[in-house]
Amino acid sequence: VIGEVGSVEEANLTELELAALESDINVADGHARHEPTPSQQRIIDRLPELFEQAASTPASELDREAQAAFLTSLGQASALRDAQALTCYSSSVAMEVFARALDAAGLRRVALIHPTFDNIADILRGCGLSLSAIQEDALADGRADVLDDAEVLFVTTPNNPTGTVLRQERLTFWGEVCAERGMIIALDTSFRGFDPRAQYDHYSVLVEAGVRYVVIEDTGKLWPTLDLKAGFLIFSDDIGLPLRRIYTDILLGVSPLILQLIKDLAEDASAGGLEELYRFVSGNRAILRNELTRAGMRRFPDADSRISVERVLVPPPGTATDLLHELRADGIHVLPCRQFHWADPTEGERFVRVALGRPPADIGKAAAAIAGRLRGRAP
Ligand SMILES: Cc1ncc(COP(=O)(O)O)c(C=O)c1O
């Protein structure tokens, strides 16, 4: 039995991820569950010292330092100059604050990228907002007519699960379209740390476009920190939403110990940690793709993706839900993609998603099981 409703089709992704936590090989959730690098391990080994440092530094100072270290490591230096930032327990909490603030301000029509991680649609809808789907292709092509009467454009970049990045010229385009229409542009950049193509300075582009913006940055997907993480809710001065008020309805701030850890890990990322991460994820992606290629798979739906998850095509007439059940019998947990396709779930039955933030040996076992199930069924 999965989640409250009991079926794979009706469960949300987090319910499926929870079920996978108990499994032999869990390649379901997108959290980092691999060995820390030697330099990350040295930071973890200093935890008691970090605790003392955090206890003796004013929280607001540490908050600013953690934000600065993280944003600078990912190329977002202008955020510190041009925007305001609120540190949240996680990116979902930042999302909840944003959605409630939209509702409070009477902005209820959101054009949301499709597909994307289901909790974004769930949180927006849960706060009473109405959604229209905007396909990734339409975003890449710059077809502004797809916005209809939306008041907010929400884009996940790089997108989960596809890894698609909104390139600089397209962000400029959409920023200008939103500015012209008096819309807010909102970005979820949780996966940007995996892809240098998503690390151009987004804030300078948004300021240049003259648009009101909200960006949700996230430390939570990058490092194997047992879910010690934060989400940053970053917004333009002229946003016109009660973000601070709703934030303080929910929290005072994030633990200084977590902020200290983020600061140190971000500095490590700047000093070569990011390159190590790129190599690690691309190594795991190669293990999976090589195994699938040997089984006769010739198409990878997201050939250019760099993020820490990978979609695998399920050849018809099979479905993702069928494959998920077969793999469970092998002790392997993946995610079906129907929930990512929040406006058209059956479309997502063509893919499963495999998490790559795992020890390579686990990726090897998952890859062998998936290849075994798909052998001879290649499109
Ligand atoms: C794009 C994206 N945004 C937000 C979240 C939520 O992150 P958290 O659970 O840390 O709040 C996820 C989770 O996988 C995600 O993929």
Side-chain angles (χ1 to χ4, degrees), residues 201-272:
D201 189 339
H202 287 43
Y203 296 86
S204 68
V205 172
L206 295 168
V207 168
E208 189 69 24
V211 65
R212 291 188 291 154
Y213 62 84
V214 170
V215 183
I216 294 173
E217 305 272 357
D218 184 12
T219 76
K221 310 292 174 283
L222 281 184
W223 305 308
T225 49
L226 300 177
D227 278 343
L228 295 170
K229 60 186 173 186
F232 300 117
L233 180 62
I234 307 190
F235 50 97
S236 53
D237 289 332
D238 61 353
I239 191 67
L241 298 176
L243 292 166
R244 280 184 189 278
R245 176 56 203 256
I246 290 175
Y247 175 86
T248 50
D249 280 346
I250 298 175
L251 74 158
L252 173 66
V254 168
S255 160
L257 176 61
I258 294 178
L259 297 172
Q260 183 71 54
L261 191 61
I262 289 170
K263 181 176 167 235
D264 283 32
L265 287 167
E267 284 166 358
D268 177 65
S270 290

Side-chain angles (χ1 to χ4, degrees), residues 72-238:
T72 311
S73 73
L74 300 183
Q76 306 305 306
S78 303
L80 304 162
R81 194 188 59 229
D82 296 324
Q84 303 186 41
L86 295 170
T87 306
C88 304
Y89 301 136
S90 69
S91 70
S92 298
V93 173
M95 191 65 212
E96 176 80 21
V97 171
F98 175 47
R100 279 181 55 183
L102 286 175
D103 180 54
L107 299 181
R108 308 235 160 76
R109 293 188 300 276
V110 182
L112 172 64
I113 188 169
H114 188 263
T116 200
F117 189 61
D118 68 346
N119 99 329
I120 297 173
D122 288 343
I123 290 172
L124 291 167
R125 283 177 175 146
C127 290
L129 310 178
S130 68
L131 306 183
S132 53
I134 174 159
Q135 302 296 333
E136 264 189 6
D137 297 353
L139 279 169
D141 297 348
R143 299 204 301 267
D145 53 319
V146 293
L147 289 177
D148 282 337
D149 60 352
E151 295 157 305
V152 180
L153 169 62
F154 193 108
V155 182
T156 311
T157 176
N159 197 12
N160 177 10
T162 60
T164 305
V165 172
L166 191 66
R167 299 308 180 94
Q168 178 161 351
E169 64 280 7
R170 279 294 159 241
L171 181 61
T172 301
F173 171 81
W174 288 109
E176 287 172 355
V177 166
C178 289
E180 218 166 89
R181 296 180 178 213
M183 291 172 61
I184 290 174
I185 189 165
L187 307 176
D188 176 327
T189 59
S190 294
F191 282 86
R192 79 153 97 235
F194 295 101
D195 193 334
R197 297 168 305 178
Q199 293 170 20
Y200 62 88
D201 189 339
H202 287 43
Y203 296 86
S204 68
V205 172
L206 295 168
V207 168
E208 189 69 24
V211 65
R212 291 188 291 154
Y213 62 84
V214 170
V215 183
I216 294 173
E217 305 272 357
D218 184 12
T219 76
K221 310 292 174 283
L222 281 184
W223 305 308
T225 49
L226 300 177
D227 278 343
L228 295 170
K229 60 186 173 186
F232 300 117
L233 180 62
I234 307 190
F235 50 97
S236 53
D237 289 332
D238 61 353

Side-chain angles (χ1 to χ4, degrees), residues 20-59:
L21 287 180
E22 310 297 318
S23 68
D24 301 338
I25 304 286
N26 160 25
V27 284
D29 66 71
H31 297 216
R33 299 187 188 282
H34 49 84
E35 291 283 304
T37 63
S39 59
Q40 288 172 343
Q41 188 59 52
R42 281 195 291 279
I43 295 170
I44 295 165
D45 290 344
R46 285 177 39 237
L47 266 175
E49 192 190 316
L50 298 187
F51 194 103
E52 273 182 32
Q53 247 173 292
S56 61
T57 313

